[in-house]
């Protein structure tokens, strides 16, 4: 993954950074047929002790193994404000569409509301947008404020509702677009983002790039060794993938941990366990979640049939059958051997996961829009 590719991926859900979304409309690469044979070992079948959740008053909470699942109600007009509202944990942030781009908050649990800032962007801003497609530390959301001389990145922190400002290069008059890509890691003690700004989605020169320390605001060049696929565990640990070799970022360089059997790594857990997506070579609606450990050829696998998939460390969410829409929506927690099935959903759920403290599924329910959050063990 070179610098230009990171910027482009920032505008298309950071696929190479392991956001964990897997759609069914794709064919397996020829090499994956060999991979499937090599990694297929005896393992647990799809969980039979399935829990089912039907219509009920929100919010709802489940504890499944070491995971916690929360279903929280969203405002009735949530889908009408696409791009202007962001769910961050148990808060909903709303961004103004015009200067000075005010930011307000609403608690999804208590219903309380407030103002984060009346001035989301400086007066020199010519255009602003909420950065929905990049990765920021858990509890953070970002507003990109474009300017011709300098641009700013305004990061909102919940639950204290404070704002941090970081400088970005301005948008050249010749640039057709201004695409910010950000990939966060190192939280909670040393939060950093690997960032880049591109002029367009094509092979155009970068406007700028670097690695930014979110505590000090200092920016440095990209460290050597970041030309690899990146994954981040829920605890903020950064991992690098080079083929079948897994490494861990030690602050100045990647430390090789060893080899893993399969490719297509979707997530790495806090315990260093690797979770791989293995699509079927013959059926786009069949997929396998594989548990791997460094230095061992022994794997465990769980196969599901469905689409609209979201992978995380130890779980997979999907809409069963041959449709991208619910109902139902199922979430398999592999090591707990349990599946949570939600029937009170419809439409095509919006799935997102950036390796943070929670993974979001935004969908329709009988009570209106809702967000289902999957919180890995802390």
């Amino acid at each position: 993954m070179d610098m230009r590719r990171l910027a482009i991926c920032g505008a298309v859900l950071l696929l190479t950074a392991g956001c964990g979304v897997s759609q069914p409309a794709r064919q397996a690469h020829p090499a994956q047929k060999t991979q499937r044979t090599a990694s297929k070992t005896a393992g647990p079948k799809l969980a039979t002790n399935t829990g089912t959740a039907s219509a009920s008053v929100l919010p709802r909470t489940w504890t499944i193994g070491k995971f916690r699942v929360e279903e929280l109600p969203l405002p009735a007009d949530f889908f009408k404000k696409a791009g202007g509202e962001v769910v961050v944990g148990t808060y909903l942030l709303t961004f103004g569409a015009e200067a000075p781009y005010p930011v307000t908050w609403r608690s999804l649990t208590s219903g309380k509301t407030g103002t984060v800032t009346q001035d989301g962007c400086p007066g020199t801003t010519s255009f602003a947008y909420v950065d929905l497609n990049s990765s920021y530390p858990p509890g953070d959301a970002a507003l990109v404020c474009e300017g011709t001389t300098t641009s700013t990145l305004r990061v909102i922190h919940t639950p204290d509702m404070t704002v941090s400002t970081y400088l970005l290069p301005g948008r050249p008059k010749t640039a057709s677009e201004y695409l910010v890509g950000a990939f966060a890691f190192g939280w909670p003690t040393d939060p950093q983002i690997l960032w880049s700004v591109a002029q367009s989605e094509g092979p155009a020169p970068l406007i700028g790039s670097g690695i930014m320390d979110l505590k000090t605001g200092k920016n440095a060049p990209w460290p050597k060794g970041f030309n690899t696929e990146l994954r981040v565990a829920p605890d903020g640990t950064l991992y690098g993938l080079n083929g079948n070799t897994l490494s861990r970022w030690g602050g100045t360089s990647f430390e090789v941990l060893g080899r893993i059997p399969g490719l297509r790594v979707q997530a790495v857990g806090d315990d260093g366990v690797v979770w791989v997506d293995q699509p079927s070579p013959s059926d786009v609606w069949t997929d396998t979640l594989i548990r791997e450990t460094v230095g061992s050829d022994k794997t465990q696998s769980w196969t599901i049939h469905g689409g609209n998939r979201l992978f995380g460390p130890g779980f997979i969410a999907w809409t069963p059958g041959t449709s991208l829409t619910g109902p139902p929506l199922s979430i398999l927690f592999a090591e707990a051997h349990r599946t949570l099935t939600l029937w009170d959903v419809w439409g095509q759920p919006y799935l997102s996961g950036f390796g943070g403290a929670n993974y979001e599924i935004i969908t329709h329910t009988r009570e209106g829009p809702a967000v289902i959050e999957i919180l890995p063990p802390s």
Side-chain angles (χ1 to χ4, degrees):
M1 179 180 67
D2 61 18
M3 292 185 290
R4 185 176 297 109
R5 189 178 181 190
L6 178 65
I8 295 171
C9 288
V12 290
L13 294 182
L14 275 172
L15 293 179
T16 59
C19 85
V21 178
S22 177
Q23 298 292 349
R26 41 108 172 98
Q27 297 293 331
H29 189 279
Q32 291 164 1
K33 296 183 180 180
T34 304
Q35 173 193 339
R36 183 176 179 84
T37 302
S39 62
K40 186 176 181 180
T41 61
K45 300 296 183 182
L46 189 61
T48 55
N49 52 339
T50 301
T52 301
S54 57
S56 181
V57 177
L58 303 183
R60 295 186 292 177
T61 303
W62 299 268
T63 299
I64 302 177
K66 297 180 180 180
F67 288 81
R68 189 168 80 254
V69 181
E70 297 179 348
E71 185 179 21
L72 304 171
L74 294 173
D77 61 352
F78 177 82
F79 289 104
K80 296 180 181 179
K81 296 182 178 180
E85 292 187 328
V86 180
V87 179
V88 184
T90 58
Y91 294 92
L92 179 70
L93 299 179
T94 301
F95 298 79
E98 298 178 353
Y101 307 101
V103 184
T104 58
W105 64 269
R106 172 178 177 174
S107 170
L108 297 177
T109 53
S110 70
K112 293 181 179 180
T113 61
T115 299
V116 178
T117 176
Q118 290 287 358
D119 302 312
C121 289
T124 55
T125 299
S126 57
F127 180 76
Y129 66 91
V130 185
D131 192 3
L132 298 175
N133 296 325
S134 291
S135 162
Y136 294 93
D140 288 355
L143 181 64
V144 177
C145 308
E146 294 182 21
T148 55
T149 304
T150 59
S151 298
T152 57
L153 182 69
R154 304 296 305 277
V155 178
I156 296 93
H157 313 285
T158 66
D160 55 355
M161 301 305 168
T162 57
V163 182
S164 298
T165 301
Y166 307 96
L167 293 180
L168 294 175
R171 174 175 178 167
K173 294 181 179 179
T174 56
S176 59
E177 296 175 283
Y178 189 92
L179 303 176
V180 173
F183 182 69
F185 63 94
W187 62 77
T189 58
D190 190 24
Q192 301 176 65
I193 60 169
L194 187 68
W195 67 272
S196 62
V197 181
Q199 299 187 44
S200 70
E201 291 190 15
L206 287 175
I207 298 173
S209 65
I211 182 168
M212 189 179 296
D213 187 321
L214 297 187
K215 290 193 302 183
T216 65
K218 293 182 178 180
N219 190 60
W222 281 26
K224 184 179 180 180
F226 273 80
N227 58 339
T228 184
E229 291 189 51
L230 303 175
R231 302 291 183 270
V232 62
D235 65 359
T237 302
L238 180 66
Y239 292 88
L241 288 157
N242 189 355
N244 292 84
T245 301
L246 181 71
S247 301
R248 181 174 54 216
W249 181 248
T252 56
S253 62
F254 278 104
E255 303 165 353
V256 175
L257 299 178
R259 292 180 60 81
I260 53 175
L263 303 174
R264 294 182 61 92
V265 173
Q266 294 292 331
V268 182
D270 293 345
D271 52 5
V273 171
V274 176
W275 297 91
V276 169
D277 161 32
Q278 184 173 283
S280 168
S282 58
D283 183 359
V284 297
W285 298 102
T286 298
D287 226 279
T288 301
L289 176 67
I290 302 176
R291 183 187 189 276
E292 302 182 349
T293 54
V294 175
S296 173
D297 291 330
K298 184 179 180 180
T299 65
Q300 291 178 291
S301 62
W302 296 261
T303 298
I304 61 98
H305 185 72
N308 207 27
R309 296 180 279 268
L310 168 66
F311 291 86
F315 72 86
I316 178 174
W318 78 100
T319 49
T322 57
S323 174
L324 295 178
T325 63
L329 172 71
S330 294
I331 310 172
L332 165 67
F333 297 92
E335 293 176 307
H337 308 296
R338 292 182 59 190
T339 299
L340 175 64
T341 302
L342 300 168
W343 286 94
D344 188 30
V345 300
W346 65 84
Q348 182 173 340
Y350 171 73
L351 312 178
S352 65
F354 297 105
N358 64 318
Y359 293 73
E360 297 176 356
I361 303 173
I362 296 176
T363 186
H364 298 268
T365 72
R366 185 172 302 175
E367 291 194 353
V371 58
I372 301 162
E373 300 192 348
I374 305 171
L375 286 75
S378 57

